[in-house]
Amino acid sequence: DQFNVTLYGVTAVVFMTLQAFAGMWINAFIVSVICMAWVKKKTLNSNEKILLLLGCSRFWHLCFSWLYSFLSIIYPHCFYVQPIYTPTATLQRSFEFSNLWVTACLSVFYCAKIANFRNSFFIYLKVKIDRIVPWLLLGSQLLSLAMGILVYNTSSKEHSNNFNCQGNFSKQSIKIDVFFLTYFVIGSGFVTSFMTVTFSALLLLFSLQRHKRNMQTNSMKDLSMDAHIKAMKSILSFLVMYSVNFGFLILELTFTMNEENLMMFLIYAFLYAFPGVHSLILIFSNPKLEKTLLRILPCLKCK
């Protein structure tokens, strides 16, 4: 039995390490390219600002998530020490929320820039979106910070209440009200960001579909039609990915207190894959990032 637990632990650590470091490399690439462009141009447009913050959030989210998972599998007793568990859990959850909310900001930005509606509020949003983006990003980081503070306070209370004189945790002594409040707020944050992304993506899909119909009616060029179909497929694939990611986040909250290792392994396997896979899609949908990646890949092969 001990051999099986050890084998599971080694397998899980190796698999999650490969996923996490691949995602970290992809997001570090995005951050590096945008920072180099920032140095050259001395300025960044709204899309680059969002991608820069998204790349940083995902990099650190994967970093602290991997550290948390690595310690919980290889050396779980280290979490009994207060200075280790609380900062790790706080930073992991804070960067997770930053990742989700900056992704929501990116969806709102694309919707405002690309979609076409005659609604007065939407027209105002389209005109002012470049000025609104910095405030959206600031708001997303303040929400993430508030969530980090909540997790920090909850983690500190759980440790002070559950740690007895023998140095063991007592699961019976967990305060249900604190646990419920924390997970209710976390779940609400997940749902709100998910609804923002879903609403923005559906509006964008509806606008592109209507524009495609108009081009078909007016017998417009096939090249423009192909571009719209490609954009619709990209948005639809992202919406499906984000929906599945949201489902796994809810499962993570549900199975956190359980001992089902296989289920948690499957949940974390997808959660680790999402930041890297979606960032890879963003790279190939951005001409500058795609061109830079294709230029450095032959160099890596030669080395």
Side-chain angles (χ1 to χ4, degrees):
D1 184 52
Q2 184 64 35
F3 174 76
N4 291 334
V5 172
T6 305
L7 182 61
Y8 161 78
V10 172
T11 305
V13 166
V14 170
F15 187 75
M16 290 179 179
T17 299
L18 291 174
Q19 280 190 304
F21 277 74
M24 289 166 65
W25 186 91
I26 292 169
N27 285 284
F29 167 78
I30 293 176
V31 172
S32 301
V33 173
I34 295 177
C35 284
M36 287 189 292
W38 192 2
V39 171
K40 289 180 180 179
K41 298 188 302 180
K42 308 297 182 184
T43 185
L44 291 176
N45 59 40
S46 298
N47 184 47
E48 290 171 332
K49 290 175 184 176
I50 299 175
L51 289 178
L52 177 61
L53 188 56
L54 183 61
C56 291
S57 298
R58 286 179 169 174
F59 178 88
W60 289 112
H61 166 56
L62 286 169
C63 180
F64 284 104
S65 295
W66 174 83
L67 179 63
Y68 185 88
S69 300
F70 179 83
L71 292 176
S72 63
I73 293 172
I74 299 300
Y75 192 54
H77 294 290
C78 73
F79 284 145
Y80 295 169
V81 182
Q82 171 66 6
I84 295 179
Y85 172 76
T86 302
T88 305
T90 300
L91 291 169
Q92 189 267 342
R93 190 62 75 179
S94 181
F95 281 113
E96 181 178 41
F97 261 82
S98 178
N99 168 30
L100 292 174
W101 278 106
V102 178
T103 304
C105 292
L106 184 66
S107 299
V108 171
F109 174 75
Y110 283 161
C111 180
K113 277 291 187 180
I114 300 174
N116 284 308
F117 296 101
R118 295 180 181 178
N119 182 275
S120 58
F121 173 76
F122 194 86
I123 294 173
Y124 173 83
L125 184 64
K126 182 181 282 291
V127 172
K128 299 291 185 180
I129 188 63
D130 289 317
R131 294 183 180 180
I132 296 174
V133 162
W135 294 104
L136 285 176
L137 296 178
L138 177 62
S140 69
Q141 297 313 295
L142 290 176
L143 282 171
S144 303
L145 180 62
M147 184 54 57
I149 293 171
L150 176 63
V151 172
Y152 180 86
N153 290 333
T154 305
S155 301
S156 299
K157 288 178 182 178
E158 284 185 2
H159 270 72
S160 60
N161 290 331
N162 299 337
F163 195 74
N164 58 30
C165 59
Q166 284 80 24
N168 296 318
F169 279 103
S170 174
K171 290 185 179 180
Q172 288 80 8
S173 63
I174 293 177
K175 284 191 173 182
I176 300 299
D177 54 345
V178 175
F179 177 83
F180 177 78
L181 175 63
T182 303
Y183 277 74
F184 175 77
V185 174
I186 292 174
S188 299
F190 288 166
V191 172
T192 306
S193 61
F194 172 71
M195 293 302 297
T196 303
V197 170
T198 302
F199 189 64
S200 301
L202 290 177
L203 279 176
L204 190 50
L205 282 171
F206 176 74
S207 176
L208 288 173
Q209 178 64 27
R210 188 178 63 178
H211 192 59
K212 184 170 80 81
R213 257 197 327 265
N214 291 337
M215 287 193 298
Q216 286 176 331
T217 304
N218 298 328
S219 301
M220 306 227 8
K221 296 273 184 181
D222 289 339
L223 189 61
S224 181
M225 181 79 71
D226 291 341
H228 277 75
I229 293 174
K230 183 180 178 181
M232 289 172 64
K233 287 180 179 178
S234 176
I235 296 163
L236 189 59
S237 64
F238 167 63
L239 182 58
V240 171
M241 282 181 59
Y242 200 87
S243 300
V244 176
N245 185 67
F246 170 74
F248 276 99
L249 286 171
I250 298 301
L251 285 176
E252 181 194 12
L253 294 181
T254 305
F255 286 94
T256 296
M257 298 300 293
N258 293 349
E259 299 294 332
E260 299 187 27
N261 290 333
L262 180 60
M263 178 57 71
M264 291 306 297
F265 174 77
L266 294 175
I267 291 171
Y268 285 126
F270 185 87
L271 291 179
Y272 278 36
F274 175 75
V277 173
H278 182 241
S279 295
L280 203 58
I281 293 174
L282 290 176
I283 288 174
F284 285 106
S285 62
N286 185 299
K288 183 188 296 181
L289 292 174
E290 182 181 14
K291 184 179 179 181
T292 306
L293 179 64
L294 294 177
R295 190 170 65 245
I296 68 170
L297 282 178
C299 298
L300 292 175
K301 280 184 179 181
C302 292
K303 291 181 180 179

